């Protein structure tokens, strides 16, 4: 997997656009989290407890507890 603390490219803010505060900082990973092969966590996202991040997933948003993440920020409940 890849974990990036800051964006790896320059980003120019367009007029009227807000930049999400999560792009800076390091990811915070909770307990009982499985991070699949070749997945990517970008910025200061918070991964709660009991989360499964599928192989190849890209995470750029906070993930709630008891979730499965696949593709790009696609979240399902872990039952």
């Amino acid at each position: 997997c890849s974990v990036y603390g800051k964006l790896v490219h320059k980003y120019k803010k367009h007029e009227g656009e807000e930049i999400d505060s999560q792009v800076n900082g390091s990811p915070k990973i909770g307990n009982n989290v499985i991070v699949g092969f070749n997945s990517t966590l970008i910025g200061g996202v918070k991964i709660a407890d009991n989360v499964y991040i599928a192989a190849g997933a890209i995470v750029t948003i906070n993930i709630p507890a008891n979730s499965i993440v696949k593709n790009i920020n696609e979240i399902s409940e872990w039952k």
Side-chain angles (χ1 to χ4, degrees), residues 34-40 52-58 68-71:
I34 299 170
V35 181
F37 178 77
N38 204 32
S39 56
T40 304
Y52 180 90
I53 300 173
I58 298 173
I68 298 172
V69 184
K70 60 183 180 179
N71 299 321

Side-chain angles (χ1 to χ4, degrees), residues 17-51:
E17 181 180 21
E18 293 183 26
I19 297 177
D20 193 327
S21 62
Q22 296 180 51
V23 297
N24 290 316
S26 298
K28 314 282 187 285
I29 301 175
N31 295 312
N32 196 33
V33 173
I34 299 170
V35 181
F37 178 77
N38 204 32
S39 56
T40 304
L41 310 177
I42 301 175
V45 296
K46 295 176 184 170
I47 311 299
D49 296 339
N50 305 316
V51 172

Side-chain angles (χ1 to χ4, degrees), residues 56-73:
I58 298 173
V59 179
T60 62
I61 61 173
N62 293 336
I63 307 299
N66 305 311
S67 298
I68 298 172
V69 184
K70 60 183 180 179
N71 299 321
I72 301 173
N73 299 323

